[in-house]
Structure formats: C-alpha cells, structure tokens
Amino acid sequence: MRHAALCLALILIAGPALAAADKMQRSLEALEPATEMMEVCDIAVSAKISAETSYSQVDRVVADALKEPVADGDIFTATGGAFRDHGHWYGLRFICTLAPDHLSTQSLRYAVGNEIPESRWEEFGLWR
C-alpha cells in the first residue's frame, strides 16, 4: 500500500513537469534545424553558467548578438553571443555538441567575456 501511495504521489508531482518538458520538446522540434540547435544550446549554456559561475541569475542567452553563429552537423558554435544576468549583458562564446536528435547536448564548453556597456545594447539587439 505504501508503495502504491508513493507511486501515485510521484506521478502527481512529476506529471506537470513531464508535461511541460514534453511541450518544450514538441516546440523545439517544430523549429527550423539551425534555430532548434541554437535554442537547445542557449538553454544548456544558461543553466551551466548559472550552476558553475557567480552569474547566478542568467535569464537570457543570445547566441547571435555580436556575430552570426555556425551550425555544422551536430556542432553549434557561437563566437559572438551574449547573456544577461541581473540586468547586465556579458559577452559569451560557446561550442555545443548536440545529440543526434538535436534535443539535448552531449558536450558544452563556454567562455564568459566582458560586460557589454548599455550604450552598445541597441547596436547588438540587446534589451533591459
């Protein structure tokens, strides 16, 4: 009986999270392939930066802020990206290797750059 109750509790708790993940996956699959790759990598690098650095509230990544990224096979390279943390934008470079279905990452390396002055945000399509 305890086992059944625990299973039911897990289903009730995990159900909405699984539904949200499924909805996100369907949304990603509907995108053009290069855009899908960019979104998957943007999400992954945002989480990785928040987990591994003092930039704890990364709420946006723009892979193509300063320079157009390159998608080649399963590898997505952004050499002119940016991310926003606590209302400030910073330069970002990353190389993201995706799984064959392009819905998850297999490896991700990144480098954080300097803060981008607010006076240049408009030039790069960045916002508050």
Side-chain angles (χ1 to χ4, degrees), residues 52-120:
E52 295 179 351
T53 71
S54 61
Y55 302 103
S56 60
Q57 291 186 10
V58 176
D59 64 351
R60 195 73 172 131
V61 172
V62 180
D64 58 353
L66 296 101
K67 186 176 178 183
E68 201 62 36
V70 176
D72 184 19
D74 294 335
I75 300 173
F76 186 84
T77 305
T79 57
F83 72 92
R84 184 174 64 189
D85 178 76
H86 288 95
H88 298 267
W89 286 95
Y90 302 87
L92 175 65
R93 294 186 328 263
F94 65 87
I95 298 174
C96 177
T97 303
L98 292 111
D101 66 2
H102 291 176
L103 294 175
S104 63
T105 60
Q106 290 184 328
S107 70
L108 178 60
R109 293 181 319 195
Y110 68 91
V112 172
N114 294 327
E115 184 172 353
I116 300 169
E118 190 169 352
S119 61
R120 300 199 63 199

